[in-house]
Amino acid sequence: MLHLCENPHFRHSCLMFLVWAFQLVGLTSGFGLNSGLNQSLTYIWPLPYELTSGNETLTVNPALSLSVIGHGGNFRILREGFRRYKRIIFKFSSGISVSKNSRRIRSLYDISELRIIVKSGSDELKLGVDESYTLFVDKTEGKSVVWETIIEASTIYGALRGLETFSQLCAFDYTTKSVQISKAPWYIKDKPRFAYRGLLLDTSRHHFPVDVIKSIIESMSYAKLNVLHWHIIDTDAFPLEVPAYPKLWNGAYSKWERYTVEDASRIVRFAKTRGIHVMAEVDVPGHAESWGAGYPDLWPNTYCREPLDVTKNFTFDLISGILSEIREIFPFELFHLGGDEVNTDCWNKTPHVKQWLDENKMKPKDAYQYFVLKAQEIAISKNWTPVNWEETFNAFAKSLNPQTVVHNWLGPGVCLKAVEKGFKCIFSNQRVWYLDHLDVSWDEVYYAEPLEGISNVSKQELVIGGEVCMWGETVDTSNVQQTIWPRAAAAAERLWSTEEALSAANLTVLHRLQYFRCLLNRRGVQAAPVLNYYARQPPSGSGSCYWQ
Amino acid sequence: MLHLCENPHFRHSCLMFLVWAFQLVGLTSGFGLNSGLNQSLTYIWPLPYELTSGNETLTVNPALSLSVIGHGGNFRILREGFRRYKRIIFKFSSGISVSKNSRRIRSLYDISELRIIVKSGSDELKLGVDESYTLFVDKTEGKSVVWETIIEASTIYGALRGLETFSQLCAFDYTTKSVQISKAPWYIKDKPRFAYRGLLLDTSRHHFPVDVIKSIIESMSYAKLNVLHWHIIDTDAFPLEVPAYPKLWNGAYSKWERYTVEDASRIVRFAKTRGIHVMAEVDVPGHAESWGAGYPDLWPNTYCREPLDVTKNFTFDLISGILSEIREIFPFELFHLGGDEVNTDCWNKTPHVKQWLDENKMKPKDAYQYFVLKAQEIAISKNWTPVNWEETFNAFAKSLNPQTVVHNWLGPGVCLKAVEKGFKCIFSNQRVWYLDHLDVSWDEVYYAEPLEGISNVSKQELVIGGEVCMWGETVDTSNVQQTIWPRAAAAAERLWSTEEALSAANLTVLHRLQYFRCLLNRRGVQAAPVLNYYARQPPSGSGSCYWQ
């Protein structure tokens, strides 16, 4: 059975059979008191590195208190994180009368305190920050049975991941009307497989209000994704305020569809409290027509508006100016310079550009390289590590700054080539990880492997992770979350969990993903049914969230 | 032009032309610093009863304070409402540094205080509660220009409606980074056209978590809708806890897809803080198969499970038991007993039911009437006014309790017939106000008229309002809000604003609705593009929210 489900040709039907079999076991009648849950499964998404569980069921006190130990114990991020997860865990029991006295009657509950131990006294959020944690829900030694719940982590970001896992162990029991942890004692040791686990959001094709971006970041933290790749600007619109060049946001769709400097900073601060990096992208020299709405000099000519005019100092002064200003907003060490889909026809067709090319003895492709390298230099001078879409690597790998992180998208096998040449790489093969490709099913996303074909361990380490891309042409506030979820969760588990863990849990993956999708729904995230043939389609008929 | 747009055959193309014309005026280039806004329009949805405006632009202090006067001034609902709207109004300026000192430097702003005057000392929320208010944003008499903002209302619910309108006058200005009110002074006198402005939510075909229901209620308040018709139970699932009959929620889809008594109470309390009634529905005798999951005796037989068994006392004891228990939860005076789509074949085919029919000299249709009237008696004995879907009126109007509110759905003209016979009526003609009919466009919803054909004023008063219905077969958490909005807003304006106001603003309606849809998006509500041919479709390509 395992082998059948690993064969890509039979995978979907095999998995469909399995979900049917699970439902058959779970269902007691057409109506389903017990439907959906299989007690032998571990409903944690993504799967932890290592775990053991038992067979006791514990109750959790709605007045759960936090006790913090270690250098990292007093960070606001940690304390707010605890309060946030407490709201999530106990939202279903709010209004239940017993909770009123629960602070006094601690002995009624098995678990009344969560202890968090954080070693590091730093809250710096860098790529590769230690996100590991251990979570114990365990008995203490002694005469009477006392249960202790402890999260141990090197950093507050590891502790946040542990809180997420803890929240997933807690479930509201409708019979006793209490929050319970089943299958205790738990011993979970966890850490991510990849340091970079990203989601691209495109705010140029459609504008997303700040609150919507914050909800997306919040939902990312539920799946332990940790990089929001903010594709801020593109051909269609320039929504970001750049105070030194105030006319740039003339390129916004309207006077309301904009981000102030303060908005952008709020987004970055919010993301940090969830342990999420924000990587900004300023895509040059293509995908930049909107820049010229305020500064038409950036267009080669009025009728042919991109790539940006390669001949003018103003173009590079402006790039440098933008990067200087936004460096203050985006502390993350990676910065995306785009560099994709550059059609140089416009340069060739514009007399002054053509003349400049001739004078400098350049073909358009040389000018493309010239532009990209110059932009890289600017980014590096601002203490950023440049990321480029793979076209720059495909076109002039030898000249590319060796720090460059190659961002794959066109197809498979690119990270293999990039790491062979010593570059770092991010996997986003569009055939499987472009969320705007609605015909890609959850399992195609799930079984995509960033390290495919890379056997050398030192080369594997150059693949820093992967990213699912939510391009914005057909998503706006109305449907962005249901296009992202649940498929982004499939990638999230691929990026967090070890291949061994995934392989061992292969038969249960669909069932667990359906459960996680419903968890997202319970938390207010508009994750779509898992089994729809096209992503984000409505449910095909009445039914339980756990079947659809 | 006005006449062209009133002709149903040309309405859509006419309105499309108008939106194009508006965009042409608004656009300065492909990128749109000024696109979308037409200063001559009043961007308040739904349109107030009466208003005048000026041409001054005022700034609003982010430290806006509340001063309350009158018997109703101290209700928590009012103070929380003010805080909620303050968050909405100033969310875009949070993080802007000037706000830090704004409490001290009140003189920098034109408006630093909102005064609310509420006459009534009662917070009772009954059908027809006075929701009127006046809102002044006006200069005070005296030497220097001082601006006063005052909401006057009879009840706190009127004041909440005034706060909503006030919040819609406030807009964040990206140039000055401050919240402004343009076109002041404002004088708005407002009241609803209909007392009952409803939205049906069906939690049987798909389960909606409590938080999702609360977001829906919250979004209703933005459009001044005021009744959540909660279609709790149906054939597919029985998610509600009824403590006296604990096996009823065996009919839930799963052990998590349920509502406790506390959940239901929380929903009702939450709705009250938004001035929204919750009308519960327990649909009998059809649409009730799920009841038998716990109590199979309610099924005529194992193979033919609805309508509920009309012969047994247990059936009516159980209905009475349910209604007794949920009467505590739902204080609203209307209670919906369903009564629709009753196919009595099952009774005829079940020997013991057939025998009972014969013994009682009843045809199945008589038994249907017997069942409905008996259920009505039970509801009336609990001090509820019964509401029934129109089939009961269509089948036996003469026997129907005269208190009955007839709920139209099958087609047009039913309210006319119902009020002729002296019944109250709710308009929900499925051809225009069923939101699950995805091919009904926003303007078909908008131009549907609950009083169509009813010319007699005393008869018109029997139409208490209307309701858009969000049946749940193809909506779940992932897509419910985008199926409800923006079309529910079209009905909301029809139900709130006078025909005169709507007629005067006819040419601007689409433009204003697009603006309101974007307002919903800004507030985090997943309202879909207005102009999609089928409801809830994704945007067809890149672009501004204000065009799509």
Side-chain angles (χ1 to χ4, degrees), chain B residues 42-177:
Chain B
T42 299
Y43 288 95
I44 300 172
W45 194 280
L47 272 179
Y49 182 74
E50 203 175 286
L51 66 84
T52 64
S53 59
N55 50 25
E56 296 201 53
T57 296
L58 310 181
T59 55
V60 188
N61 191 336
L64 186 73
S65 65
L66 172 69
S67 126
V68 286
I69 299 170
H71 298 296
N74 276 314
F75 282 109
R76 196 179 52 82
I77 289 177
L78 186 63
R79 293 181 174 273
E80 285 184 3
F82 172 75
R83 280 195 290 274
R84 192 166 66 242
Y85 279 106
K86 201 171 151 184
R87 276 195 300 275
I88 288 172
I89 293 167
F90 295 104
K91 68 165 62 168
F92 290 93
S93 54
S94 84
I96 309 273
S97 57
V98 70
S99 66
K100 276 191 267 178
N101 299 315
S102 51
R103 192 171 288 276
R104 263 175 285 159
I105 44 175
R106 294 166 72 100
S107 58
L108 283 181
Y109 298 95
D110 299 308
I111 297 172
S112 286
E113 184 182 86
L114 172 64
R115 188 179 305 173
I116 302 185
I117 303 165
V118 177
K119 289 190 201 110
S120 166
S122 165
D123 70 346
E124 198 186 6
L125 185 62
K126 288 177 66 118
L127 183 67
V129 67
D130 190 337
E131 295 175 272
S132 70
Y133 66 92
T134 50
L135 166 62
F136 308 87
V137 180
D138 206 356
K139 285 179 192 168
T140 53
E141 305 282 333
K143 282 179 197 163
S144 61
V145 175
V146 178
W147 288 86
E148 274 200 328
T149 306
I150 303 173
I151 294 172
E152 276 186 30
S154 293
T155 70
I156 52 172
Y157 304 108
L160 289 178
R161 304 293 172 244
L163 277 166
E164 174 58 43
T165 301
F166 175 69
S167 76
Q168 293 190 19
L169 292 183
C170 295
F172 182 69
D173 178 72
Y174 281 79
T175 311
T176 58
K177 297 196 181 177

Side-chain angles (χ1 to χ4, degrees), chain B residues 267-280:
Chain B
I267 287 167
V268 172
R269 279 199 306 273
F270 181 90
K272 184 177 178 181
T273 64
R274 272 70 178 167
I276 292 177
H277 313 278
V278 180
M279 176 174 71

